[in-house]
Amino acid sequence: METSQILITGGAGFIGSNFILQWLACETTPLVNLDKLTYAGNLGNLESVASHPRYAFVHGDIGDRPLVQDILQRRQPRGIVHFAAESHVDRSIHGPDDFVRTNVNGTFNLLEEVRSYWSGLPPREQDAFRFLHVSTDEVYGSLGPGDPSFSENTPLAPNSPYSATKAASDHLVRAYRHTYGLPVVTTRCSNNYGPYQFPEKLIPLMILNAIGGQPLPVYGDGQNVRDWVFVADHCEAVRTVLAHGVCGETYNIGGCNQKRNLDLVGEICEILDELRPADPVVPHSALITFVKDRPGHDRRYAMDTGKIERELNWRPRETFASGIRKTVEWYLAHPDWVRDVTSGSYRQWMATQYSQ
């Protein structure tokens, strides 16, 4: 049995699947992917590595403690990378129950089983073990136009059910370090974009609606600001923190790309004008439609990434210009993937969400 393994939770989702593909290309340690396969989990993202000798998939819930216990005892991982979460703000507003169940209760159940497993390891293996909790910049709340960027010391002030449940899980992870000594590390990342992102999120939604001649729904006045990081850069940062991060510490990850939503949509439209001049509506920006703002919509996020740059020597490789072009080109080149994930239930959700 291979005893040096990594357990990934939520590895069939957008960021998790990109992480697994990158890990298998860059690392030698085998990994196990535990995923519940909810609507946003897609094993098609990992089809190219399904039979890889260093990859194994387990279908299950992080809240299923007997299952998690069995995986830990059989696989004997030296580390956990905890991606599994409900992550869509709009869905959390309409149905917060799933977010509490997965992000809070699920993380608690996972921590309990990991604590039990870790406590039984020999001292040297205990010291080498890591539990990496993947969180979000949204736990910090909202910034004003002139406010300094979020640092790791910014107080948590979540404003949506999604961000509140992520903040709760952050607190649990921190408490397990201080109370039980569990060797944890937390990353908080800005908005991700790139291949395999579920089309309910802003960037793929705009790409796919635009090429289909459908309205491009922009919340409110479109002036909300987000910091964007290409998903491959985020995954590299997580690998760096897993290998070199200090126990008990938190590291902000960002792309140093603050963009107003309206400007972001405009850049996507310009790329599509170049690549798809025969689409139903050109210029694609003619499709921009302002819709009623969502409740509690945070105005601005911005990440201070100085700590991870100084201490771990990580910096994003992609500029926004290079990353967004790669992303647009990927969606245009993968219509089969898009068709498979945009099922009837997805179309019904979009119709309900943007009915105004």
Side-chain angles (χ1 to χ4, degrees):
M1 180 183 66
E2 169 61 69
T3 57
S4 179
Q5 300 189 42
I6 299 293
L7 173 62
I8 311 297
T9 71
F14 163 48
I15 303 174
S17 59
N18 275 280
F19 180 84
I20 288 174
L21 293 172
Q22 186 181 101
W23 181 276
L24 292 173
C26 300
E27 307 279 355
T28 59
T29 303
L31 62 82
V32 181
N33 173 19
L34 172 63
D35 198 293
K36 189 179 179 181
L37 295 181
T38 59
Y39 76 95
N42 181 7
L43 286 180
N45 299 359
L46 297 165
E47 187 176 1
S48 64
V49 298
S51 59
H52 196 289
R54 289 186 284 111
Y55 172 73
F57 172 70
V58 177
H59 184 200
D61 190 341
I62 57 171
D64 184 344
R65 288 179 60 170
L67 174 63
V68 172
Q69 181 185 70
D70 180 66
I71 293 170
L72 294 173
Q73 293 302 323
R74 286 193 299 108
R75 299 286 182 172
Q76 296 285 301
R78 64 172 175 83
I80 315 287
V81 182
H82 178 35
F83 287 107
E86 294 284 348
S87 65
H88 192 214
V89 174
D90 293 341
R91 287 181 183 264
S92 79
I93 293 169
H94 288 279
D97 301 43
D98 287 342
F99 289 75
V100 174
R101 186 177 304 111
T102 298
N103 300 353
V104 183
N105 297 339
T107 298
F108 164 72
N109 287 325
L110 180 64
L111 283 167
E112 277 290 275
E113 291 305 323
V114 170
R115 177 170 72 94
S116 176
Y117 162 74
W118 172 79
S119 298
L121 294 175
R124 181 174 296 181
E125 293 182 26
Q126 284 189 349
D127 292 341
F129 186 86
R130 291 293 182 272
F131 182 103
L132 194 156
H133 175 60
V134 180
S135 189
T136 171
D137 59 356
E138 298 195 36
V139 300
Y140 294 125
S142 185
L143 292 171
D147 290 341
S149 300
F150 298 132
S151 76
E152 290 82 357
N153 295 320
T154 300
L156 304 193
N159 291 319
S160 70
Y162 160 58
S163 57
T165 59
K166 288 299 291 185
S169 66
D170 288 12
H171 284 311
L172 281 171
V173 170
R174 182 180 185 276
Y176 271 65
R177 168 65 179 169
H178 285 266
T179 303
Y180 305 113
L182 190 68
V184 306
V185 64
T186 296
T187 59
R188 294 185 180 131
C189 193
S190 62
N191 283 34
N192 279 230
Y193 68 101
Y196 300 111
Q197 188 169 29
F198 197 73
E200 68 187 358
K201 297 298 180 75
L202 177 63
I203 288 177
L205 175 66
M206 295 300 135
I207 296 169
L208 299 175
N209 277 21
I211 64 177
Q214 301 298 312
L216 306 181
V218 175
Y219 281 130
D221 59 6
Q223 301 303 301
N224 300 76
V225 174
R226 298 294 182 264
D227 176 32
W228 294 91
V229 63
F230 192 62
V231 65
D233 283 332
H234 180 199
C235 294
E236 186 175 53
V238 170
R239 290 196 297 117
T240 300
V241 172
L242 183 65
H244 305 294
V246 176
C247 283
E249 292 295 312
T250 297
Y251 297 90
N252 282 352
I253 301 168
C256 304
N257 291 305
Q258 292 185 53
K259 293 282 182 183
R260 296 184 302 175
N261 285 351
L262 188 58
D263 294 337
L264 171 90
V265 176
E267 290 187 42
I268 292 171
C269 289
E270 289 177 4
I271 295 171
L272 289 172
D273 289 347
E274 173 193 338
L275 300 179
R276 303 269 300 201
D279 276 347
V281 178
V282 177
H284 294 83
S285 58
L287 294 166
I288 293 174
T289 304
F290 293 97
V291 298
K292 182 181 178 182
D293 209 355
R294 72 184 180 205
H297 195 180
D298 289 338
R299 195 62 171 172
R300 172 175 169 251
Y301 303 149
M303 293 290 260
D304 179 346
T305 59
K307 180 177 178 178
I308 192 172
E309 292 175 6
R310 289 189 309 270
E311 298 183 8
L312 304 183
N313 198 32
W314 174 87
R315 288 172 179 81
R317 297 178 185 270
E318 298 287 346
T319 65
F320 186 77
S322 64
I324 194 63
R325 180 169 286 272
K326 287 181 179 180
T327 302
V328 172
E329 290 174 346
W330 187 89
Y331 280 93
L332 297 182
H334 292 83
D336 292 345
W337 182 90
V338 171
R339 184 177 60 250
D340 289 344
V341 300
T342 51
S343 63
S345 60
Y346 168 76
R347 289 192 293 271
Q348 183 180 18
W349 156 254
M350 296 305 297
T352 301
Q353 177 61 25
Y354 296 109
S355 60
Q356 68 268 41

